Amino acid sequence: MASVDKAPETDIKIIRRKLNSFVGFANLPKQWHRKSVRRGFSLNFMVVGESGLGKTTLVNTLFNKEVLAKAAEPEEDENVENPSGEIPVRIETTKAEIEEDGVKLNLNIITTPGFGDSLNNSESWKPIVDEIDQRFDRYLEAESRVNRSQVPDERIHALLYFVEPTAHSLKSLDIELMKAVHQKVNLIPVIAKSDTLVDEEIQGFKERILADIEHQQISVFEPSVYDNDDEETVTNSKSLIGAYPFAVVGSLNEVTTPDGRSVRGRSYPWGTIEVDNGDHNDFVRLRQLLIRSNLEELKESTNEKLYENYRSTKLLNMGIEQDHTVFKEFDPMTKQEEERALHEAKLAKMEAEMKAVFQQKVSEKEKKLQRSEADLFARHKEMKEKLMKQIKLLEDKKAQLEKQKSLPQEPPVSSTPQKTRKGFLR
Ligand code: GDP
């Protein structure tokens, strides 16, 4: 992919020269390889499917060794129906270290006895999902510690899901389980005991399973096909994908073919099914995918896609929880409510102030009115008193005149013109 990064501002000179003498870092890939070989490779895979579908046999056939013991009789407290008629799903881990030509492979095989054995299996997938999640959680926790040099990888790198060879289509139990796990694990569905079906049935069954998987939007693990891969790798990967879902047969038993070869297989009155023959079944394709060509890719995909997805979703959810607390503080509804209350308080205060001003004005007016009323009253009283005084004065004068009028008349002693006296009297 072309790099779009800008060159840094500082001047960095890249000198490409052939060395005159051997320094030794060309050995790095070898060192890495030796270290891997010494440490060994590892693979954690889960095997899920109803009892009796040949899971134990197939795992042992894959490693050509009895890595898994035949399903033991359940302990007294195991596989016992609880009062609701359910058989609990147990999670069991079997460790096995196998070696081939000095190369070690550490296996962790996780089995799920009890899956699909209840009358009502609607919750059968839960313990399986819990187990996958818990393994992610442990990895996340270990990875977050300060000393991360040794983070044990217990994550499930692949889940082999065994489909009953009904030749019809997937059952709801299959769909529920696959839907519950497909985003957490590299899912590899296989048709169990495919020797119980004829070729045409297998072909039709494969097509229906693929159609169901597509319809249910279930992702199954597919080897990556890169443009720059060599032709052989591309052809191999494409032919593996083309044979999906693998129809497998398991057996550790040696049988003799009609042409006298001794092979691992199953004998029938009509002939022999060879486990390791790609024309008879897909066992070799499954082994190719799981161990020979795509083991590292399964681990890479677990680490880079599935775990990353789990981790970021988990951290995001934690973040959302945290944010939720903060969010509550800044909740728009609460904020709106607060603003409304504030606004109402402001209005109430303004109203109270206006009322107070109004009251004050009213009382001032009242006082003024009262004052003017008192003034009027006083003036009225004053005028009344004045008038009373004048009336009294006039009354006195009238009485005086009346008195003078009643006295006997004397003749005038002077020659004061009558007119003037008369005028005065009137
Ligand atoms: P598990 O319960 O799923 O682990 O199944 P087992 O591996 O214990 O097998 C249950 C029975 O099915 C045994 O009798 C096996 O021999 C038989 N069996 C296992 N694999 C196959 C197979 O591929 N084809 C046939 N026809 N039978 C098988």
Side-chain angles (χ1 to χ4, degrees):
M1 205 169 38
S3 170
V4 288
D5 287 350
K6 269 191 162 180
E9 295 289 298
T10 42
D11 241 1
I12 299 173
K13 279 185 190 145
I14 299 170
I15 307 160
R16 286 199 177 83
R17 286 213 190 112
K18 277 222 163 191
L19 297 167
N20 295 329
S21 65
F22 185 71
V23 177
F25 54 81
N27 270 341
L28 282 174
K30 269 195 220 155
Q31 280 180 35
W32 178 82
H33 178 69
R34 275 185 54 228
K35 201 174 163 195
S36 306
V37 171
R38 194 162 40 81
R39 265 207 205 145
F41 295 85
S42 66
L43 179 70
N44 308 329
F45 70 96
M46 207 174 206
V47 188
V48 184
E50 289 166 77
S51 298
L53 287 185
K55 301 183 295 294
T56 311
T57 310
L58 192 94
V59 170
N60 292 341
T61 313
L62 272 172
F63 301 102
N64 206 22
K65 197 180 175 190
E66 282 222 2
V67 284
L68 283 186
K70 278 252 163 270
E73 282 301 307
E75 301 274 322
E76 254 186 30
D77 59 339
E78 291 171 347
N79 271 17
V80 177
E81 283 186 22
N82 61 22
S84 58
E86 282 176 18
I87 295 168
V89 177
R90 303 192 316 275
I91 307 288
E92 290 177 0
T93 304
T94 305
K95 285 180 184 294
E97 189 187 280
I98 52 176
E99 200 172 323
E100 189 179 61
D101 292 340
V103 179
K104 274 190 227 150
L105 178 60
N106 297 301
L107 294 172
N108 281 306
I109 308 154
I110 296 97
T111 50
T112 60
F115 174 83
D117 292 346
S118 295
L119 281 176
N120 173 10
N121 290 303
S122 57
E123 307 267 278
S124 264
W125 53 269
K126 264 193 178 157
I128 292 163
V129 169
D130 287 348
E131 180 68 18
I132 299 170
D133 284 351
Q134 281 162 20
R135 283 167 180 261
F136 275 152
D137 284 339
R138 285 204 290 274
Y139 193 84
L140 183 61
E141 205 184 304
E143 209 186 29
S144 334
R145 279 194 215 118
V146 185
N147 180 10
R148 330 168 13 154
S149 54
Q150 282 286 308
V151 178
D153 186 7
E154 296 179 341
R155 297 168 299 181
I156 310 282
H157 304 126
L159 188 152
L160 285 188
Y161 184 73
F162 284 64
V163 176
E164 191 187 345
T166 59
H168 300 302
S169 51
L170 291 178
K171 296 188 284 187
S172 59
L173 174 72
D174 306 326
I175 292 171
E176 276 164 18
L177 182 280
M178 291 203 260
K179 279 188 105 164
V181 300
H182 75 126
Q183 283 176 329
K184 294 170 184 278
V185 75
N186 290 311
L187 176 65
I188 305 172
V190 297
I191 298 172
K193 296 183 172 180
S194 68
D195 54 322
T196 58
L197 303 175
V198 298
D199 286 354
E200 294 74 37
E201 284 176 321
I202 292 177
Q203 207 37 53
F205 195 28
K206 279 189 174 188
E207 282 164 18
R208 282 188 293 280
I209 292 176
L210 288 181
D212 278 352
I213 281 176
E214 199 188 333
H215 178 72
Q216 298 291 339
Q217 298 182 316
I218 294 167
S219 327
V220 297
F221 173 77
E222 282 188 4
S224 311
V225 179
Y226 299 108
D227 290 346
N228 56 355
D229 273 342
D230 59 283
E231 213 175 295
E232 198 190 330
T233 311
V234 174
T235 316
N236 275 339
S237 299
K238 283 187 176 169
S239 78
L240 291 180
I241 297 168
Y244 268 15
F246 299 142
V248 294
V249 175
S251 172
L252 282 173
N253 296 336
E254 294 281 324
V255 293
T256 308
T257 60
D259 57 2
R261 286 175 296 122
S262 184
V263 294
R264 298 196 298 178
R266 291 186 170 264
S267 281
Y268 290 97
W270 43 263
T272 311
I273 287 266
E274 297 176 31
V275 166
D276 299 280
N277 186 336
D279 291 334
H280 289 199
N281 78 100
D282 296 320
F283 171 81
V284 285
R285 295 184 185 88
L286 175 66
R287 185 178 57 192
Q288 179 79 29
L289 182 84
L290 194 63
I291 306 159
R292 297 196 175 174
S293 56
N294 300 90
L295 183 145
E296 279 308 314
E297 196 185 342
L298 284 164
K299 294 177 73 175
E300 248 174 49
S301 145
T302 304
N303 186 48
E304 288 162 22
K305 253 171 48 197
L306 305 162
Y307 170 68
E308 241 349 275
N309 184 32
Y310 178 85
R311 195 175 75 105
S312 52
T313 311
K314 179 139 192 156
L315 297 182
L316 197 76
N317 286 342
M318 279 161 68
I320 284 172
E321 268 168 34
Q322 270 175 10
D323 280 358
H324 194 63
T325 341
V326 180
F327 186 66
K328 258 182 162 172
E329 283 170 25
F330 294 103
D331 179 19
M333 287 301 287
T334 319
K335 192 150 177 59
Q336 210 177 6
E337 191 62 29
E338 277 172 10
E339 274 175 4
R340 197 179 58 84
L342 212 70
H343 184 66
E344 272 178 8
K346 231 183 201 173
L347 281 178
K349 198 179 163 209
M350 271 168 73
E351 199 182 316
E353 278 173 3
M354 275 165 75
K355 254 187 193 163
V357 170
F358 178 74
Q359 212 80 60
Q360 198 186 338
K361 292 226 157 143
V362 168
S363 71
E364 269 173 20
K365 259 274 188 294
E366 269 174 357
K367 268 180 204 155
K368 224 174 176 177
L369 280 171
Q370 278 168 7
R371 259 203 314 269
S372 53
E373 198 179 1
D375 276 1
L376 273 174
F377 186 71
R379 271 170 67 195
H380 170 78
K381 200 179 159 194
E382 194 185 335
M383 277 173 78
K384 200 177 166 188
E385 279 170 0
K386 234 180 188 172
L387 277 172
M388 293 303 282
K389 262 185 201 166
Q390 278 181 3
I391 289 173
K392 187 149 186 328
L393 208 70
L394 285 172
E395 295 245 325
D396 287 350
K397 271 190 180 164
K398 191 184 164 193
Q400 216 178 354
L401 281 174
E402 292 286 346
K403 202 174 163 189
Q404 280 177 5
K405 226 169 115 183
S406 60
L407 287 176
Q409 292 284 319
E410 282 175 29
V413 281
S414 66
S415 57
T416 310
Q418 191 78 22
K419 202 177 169 186
T420 310
R421 284 185 61 103
K422 254 186 170 174
F424 174 72
L425 283 174
R426 272 192 200 148

